[in-house]
Amino acid sequence: MNDTGRNLFCAVSICLGLAALPLGAASPSGTGGMVLSLEDTVLRALENNLTLKKDLIDLSGAEYAADRLWSVIFPAISASAGATFSSPLFTGDFDPGRAGQFNLGLGISLGFNAGIPYAMKNIRLAYQTKLLNYEDARNQLEIQTTKEFYSLLAERDNLACLADTFNLAERQLARNQTAFNNGIVGELTVMQSRLSLENARYDLRAANLAYAGRVGELLAALGIDQNTQAVLEGKIEISRIDADAEELIRNYLPQRPDIVSRRQEIERLETEERQITLSAKGPSLNLSTQWTGRTGGQNADAFTDSLSGTATVSIPIDPWIPGTAKSQSAQNAKLAVDKAKLDLKIAEDSAKTQIRSLVSNLRNSWDSIEIARLSQRVAERSYELTEQGFRNGTVESLTLEDARNNLAGVRQRLLQSELAYQTMILDLSAALNINWKDLSKMIPGESRENR
């Protein structure tokens, strides 16, 4: 049976099966509700994720600081104003009108040290790291949302298969009841058929409730009322990916966010090491000027002012002595760089192992899909022959039920195999930091077979 025939058959089956349910057994996707495609779902998830919004706030703060590097050397400016009062109290010359004095002051202080350029560079690196983390968080959220969406599609298709099983059991009960009324089969056969129908009804209802709950959780994550009727649009379409793990590692490993982040961390720590070393051991220059104006006092109409300035060069001594606190700070900064380089090597080795494992699992998973497809064809044919034998009286009802249950189980295993393959494609695209659709285009393989 090809894709179109199977989808039409399952769609008709689920409608018939659900129509036979008691009131309260809802349709898996609802009717007349909003339609959600994968693109819509991902877009809404990115817009409504609160953690992503928090990361954006942090990114905005880092960008604000990176755009204002001049603040590192902006001078300290201070202004002052005051009034003083002094006069003899017991000599008889007390004159409060002429004893007051008013002061105004303005000061500017500017300091330089050899570590300032590296402090500026660290601010820029901090912004780049925040930007990388934000983009990685968006990418991870998109992949996770895509996984959830395809998982729900698999559950939806499984509902169609369960409805098909329910419909088959219902038709079989009707046949057996007619045969019983005509004295062809016994009461036990009818009872077994009724039990099979109730089991199929229970399985379908439980799957419907689970599906509705998961759809509600997805809607809540998208900022949509959980009671909204939603129809998921799309289907799982997979193609075989026959990739060379070593080639993927060479081409895409350097651009993985965690690898890039490790390299940025090394650069940041190296910059911080230079900043600490130069700030501690290098000379520093401090320039300051102060203007002061005064009026009042003994000569109330007089105004006097003064301008002073200083220039100071400081050369630290203790950082050059091994074992001092400042000397240890510089040494610890160097050790932090060495540790970061080891962390990078560990991350690269782990990433290579992950990529090789995913590529290997993809090959094995495709083999399991082909086996599952073959098993489905065999199970479908087996059920047809078993049903024909039952009508001819050569096969018992329990054997027919086993064949029907086996067919349902094989269909479910095929759905799970295809979902697992799609999930591994998403994991591999995340491991390579590329779009999963681009991955399928860049590594063409065998197209999806008709089932």
Side-chain angles (χ1 to χ4, degrees):
M1 185 181 296
N2 59 24
D3 279 344
T4 303
R6 176 180 179 274
N7 290 335
L8 179 59
F9 178 70
C10 285
V12 173
S13 299
I14 192 171
C15 291
L16 293 174
L18 293 175
L21 291 175
L23 294 177
S27 169
S29 57
T31 57
M34 66 180 302
V35 178
L36 278 178
S37 65
L38 174 60
E39 291 74 16
D40 295 334
T41 302
V42 170
L43 182 60
R44 288 175 179 270
L46 294 175
E47 290 176 348
N48 292 279
N49 186 266
L50 299 181
T51 301
L52 206 59
K53 290 181 179 181
K54 289 174 57 180
D55 293 341
L56 184 59
I57 293 175
D58 293 338
L59 176 61
S60 300
E63 183 181 16
Y64 187 87
D67 291 340
R68 292 160 179 81
L69 295 177
W70 47 264
S71 62
V72 177
I73 58 173
F74 193 78
I77 302 175
S78 62
S80 62
T84 60
F85 174 82
S86 63
S87 178
L89 185 59
F90 298 105
T91 60
D93 298 328
F94 177 71
D95 185 358
R98 298 181 60 84
Q101 178 175 303
F102 300 93
N103 302 316
L104 294 174
L106 180 64
I108 299 177
S109 178
L110 183 61
F112 298 95
N113 64 71
I116 287 179
Y118 296 102
M120 293 180 172
K121 185 176 181 180
N122 259 343
I123 294 176
R124 286 195 298 268
L125 287 174
Y127 166 66
Q128 293 172 5
T129 300
K130 291 285 186 183
L131 178 60
L132 176 66
N133 293 339
Y134 177 74
E135 292 175 346
D136 184 42
R138 282 180 61 91
N139 186 47
Q140 293 299 323
L141 177 60
E142 181 176 351
I143 290 174
Q144 187 60 38
T145 303
T146 303
K147 286 183 179 180
E148 181 67 17
F149 187 85
Y150 276 118
S151 178
L152 287 173
L153 289 184
E155 285 196 27
R156 182 199 64 188
D157 293 344
N158 182 51
L159 284 175
C161 293
L162 290 175
D164 181 25
T165 302
F166 174 84
N167 194 38
L168 291 175
E170 188 177 43
R171 292 203 306 267
Q172 190 60 47
L173 175 60
R175 293 193 192 101
N176 289 343
Q177 186 65 51
T178 301
F180 173 75
N181 294 338
N182 295 328
I184 300 175
V185 299
E187 181 183 3
L188 181 60
T189 299
V190 177
M191 294 178 63
Q192 290 171 342
S193 298
R194 184 171 289 110
L195 176 61
S196 298
L197 176 63
E198 293 305 320
N199 284 331
R201 189 195 306 275
Y202 174 81
D203 292 339
L204 179 57
R205 179 175 295 172
N208 263 294
L209 292 175
Y211 177 78
R214 290 194 59 189
V215 170
E217 292 175 0
L218 176 64
L219 293 178
L222 302 182
I224 304 173
D225 184 6
Q226 287 183 280
N227 295 322
T228 302
Q229 292 290 333
V231 179
L232 301 186
E233 182 182 59
K235 59 182 179 178
I236 300 177
E237 292 183 320
I238 59 175
S239 59
R240 183 175 182 176
I241 295 180
D242 190 10
D244 184 347
E246 301 307 318
E247 182 179 356
L248 293 177
I249 289 172
R250 286 193 302 270
N251 293 338
Y252 299 105
L253 180 63
Q255 70 183 28
R256 273 179 59 126
D258 57 335
I259 302 301
V260 176
S261 179
R262 298 288 184 184
R263 290 200 176 96
Q264 287 183 348
E265 179 65 7
I266 292 174
E267 185 178 3
R268 186 191 70 80
L269 290 173
E270 288 176 342
T271 302
E272 185 175 354
E273 177 194 3
R274 297 187 184 99
Q275 177 190 351
I276 292 175
T277 300
L278 293 175
S279 298
K281 296 183 177 181
S284 60
L285 173 65
N286 184 273
L287 303 175
S288 64
T289 182
Q290 178 75 28
W291 172 83
T292 304
R294 299 182 181 87
T295 184
Q298 296 298 323
N299 188 357
D301 297 329
F303 175 81
T304 60
D305 67 336
S306 63
L307 179 67
S308 61
T310 60
T312 306
V313 177
S314 301
I315 301 177
I317 301 299
D318 57 305
W320 294 91
I321 302 175
T324 60
K326 292 185 178 180
S327 175
Q328 291 181 36
S329 297
Q331 179 65 21
N332 291 337
K334 183 179 182 305
L335 294 177
V337 173
D338 295 337
K339 287 176 59 179
K341 290 179 178 179
L342 292 176
D343 288 337
L344 173 61
K345 184 65 170 60
I346 293 172
E348 288 177 339
D349 292 342
S350 176
K352 290 176 182 178
T353 301
Q354 180 189 21
I355 294 172
R356 293 188 183 108
S357 176
L358 286 171
V359 170
S360 177
N361 290 337
L362 274 175
R363 294 194 185 100
N364 294 335
S365 182
W366 184 261
D367 292 339
S368 70
I369 289 175
E370 291 183 329
I371 294 173
R373 289 173 178 173
L374 178 59
S375 298
Q376 177 174 291
R377 291 194 290 269
V378 171
E380 288 173 347
R381 183 56 179 162
S382 175
Y383 178 77
E384 291 174 0
L385 295 175
T386 304
E387 186 179 29
Q388 183 179 355
F390 179 78
R391 291 177 181 177
N392 295 333
T394 60
V395 175
E396 295 182 354
S397 60
L398 287 178
T399 304
L400 179 61
E401 181 181 353
D402 290 341
R404 183 170 59 243
N405 292 337
N406 179 62
L407 176 58
V410 168
R411 287 174 175 174
Q412 291 174 344
R413 286 194 294 273
L414 177 56
L415 287 173
Q416 291 302 316
S417 297
E418 291 182 336
L419 176 61
Y421 194 84
Q422 179 65 52
T423 300
M424 277 186 280
I425 291 176
L426 292 169
D427 289 337
L428 180 58
S429 66
L432 300 175
N433 193 38
I434 59 177
N435 185 276
W436 67 273
K437 295 181 180 178
D438 295 336
L439 176 64
S440 300
K441 295 177 182 177
M442 294 169 58
I443 310 174
E446 182 179 345
S447 61
R448 185 183 185 186
E449 298 179 355
N450 290 333
R451 295 172 297 173

